[in-house]
Amino acid sequence: GRSGGPAKKARFDRRVEQAAESARPGDGVRVIVHPEGGTNLSALARALGAAGTHVRVHRRIGDISLEVPGSALPWLKGLAGVESVSIDSEVAAAPLQPVPNRSAASVGPFKKTSHLRSILGLAGDDPTGNGIGVAVVDSGIAPVADLAGRIAAFYDFTGGQDGVATAPVDGYGHGTHVAGLIAGSGARSSGQHSGVAPNARLIGLRVLD
C-alpha cells in the first residue's frame, strides 16, 4: 500500500461497474482509462497491453483506450497510475423516425418534430425564438441549409481584427454545430434535428481561427 495504508483503487463509472459484475471472463469490454497526474502514458500503455488489446494512447486528452476481458477489470481497478475508468461508448446520430403506420422499408414521410426539443420537454407550441437574436462566440458559422436566412450578422475578430463585418464562414465546424443546436431549422432532416429555438436570429462572432 501507499504510505503503509491500503492501496488506492481507481474509480469505475456505473457501466464499468456493471460490466465487472456481469461480464463473462472472455467478454471484451471497451474502456477509457484516465491516468493519475504525473503518470507516464507510455509506461501505463505498456502495462495495460499486458491484459488488453487495441491499446491507443490519446495524448491530446491524456487518456488511453483499450479492450479488456471482463476478468481483467478487477486488476485494472487496482493498477498503479490509474485514476478512473469509463466505458468507451459507441456514439451515433439519432435516426429519423418514419410516420407511424408506414412500412419500415418506406423512405418517408418523416415526423416533423424536433428530437432535440422533445428531449428537453418542449412541445410544438412552446416558444421557438421569434424575435430573439443569439450571439455565437466561436469558430464562426457556415451558411449551411439548416441555418439559411438565420444568420443576421457576422463579424470576424481573428488575426487581431476589431470585428470586421464579413460573409459567414467556419473553418472548423464547432461554431456551426453550436448554431445548429440553437437555431437550426432542421431543413435536412424534415425538422427532426432542428434547434432549440429554430426561429431565432444568429449573430456570428468569429474569435477562434
Side-chain angles (χ1 to χ4, degrees), residues 136-142 147 170 172-182:
V136 178
V137 186
D138 210 296
S139 61
I141 306 175
L147 302 174
D170 184 3
Y172 296 90
H174 189 275
T176 304
H177 172 71
V178 171
L181 291 173
I182 296 167

Side-chain angles (χ1 to χ4, degrees), residues 114-129 194-198:
S114 168
H115 184 65
L116 175 60
R117 283 174 61 86
S118 66
I119 287 174
L120 297 173
L122 297 171
D125 56 354
D126 281 320
T128 57
S194 64
V196 174

Side-chain angles (χ1 to χ4, degrees), residues 16-30:
V16 178
E17 291 284 7
Q18 291 172 343
E21 294 171 2
S22 62
R24 293 171 296 186
D27 287 348
V29 182
R30 292 283 310 176

Side-chain angles (χ1 to χ4, degrees), residues 9-197:
K9 291 189 176 181
R11 298 191 312 272
F12 278 8
D13 76 7
R14 179 175 52 83
R15 291 185 60 193
V16 178
E17 291 284 7
Q18 291 172 343
E21 294 171 2
S22 62
R24 293 171 296 186
D27 287 348
V29 182
R30 292 283 310 176
V31 296
I32 299 174
V33 173
H34 181 68
E36 293 179 329
T39 300
N40 184 297
L41 277 179
S42 298
L44 181 57
R46 287 193 295 272
L48 292 169
T53 59
H54 309 296
V55 179
R56 291 188 61 192
V57 177
H58 307 279
R59 295 193 180 278
R60 292 188 68 180
I61 59 173
D63 287 345
I64 301 170
S65 63
L66 71 153
E67 183 172 319
V68 293
S71 58
L73 288 172
W75 166 82
L76 184 57
K77 193 164 196 172
L79 184 63
V82 176
E83 180 177 296
S84 61
V85 182
S86 60
I87 283 289
D88 189 358
S89 299
E90 291 187 9
V91 178
L96 296 178
Q97 300 297 316
V99 170
N101 303 321
R102 299 278 297 194
S103 69
S106 173
V107 176
F110 295 100
K111 289 188 285 186
K112 293 187 177 181
T113 55
S114 168
H115 184 65
L116 175 60
R117 283 174 61 86
S118 66
I119 287 174
L120 297 173
L122 297 171
D125 56 354
D126 281 320
T128 57
N130 281 319
I132 301 297
V134 181
V136 178
V137 186
D138 210 296
S139 61
I141 306 175
V144 296
D146 278 31
L147 302 174
R150 201 82 62 222
I151 307 169
F154 190 88
Y155 300 91
D156 192 343
F157 290 84
T158 61
Q161 303 179 96
D162 291 328
V164 176
T166 183
V169 294
D170 184 3
Y172 296 90
H174 189 275
T176 304
H177 172 71
V178 171
L181 291 173
I182 296 167
S185 68
R188 298 181 62 188
S189 61
S190 296
Q192 290 191 61
H193 295 165
S194 64
V196 174

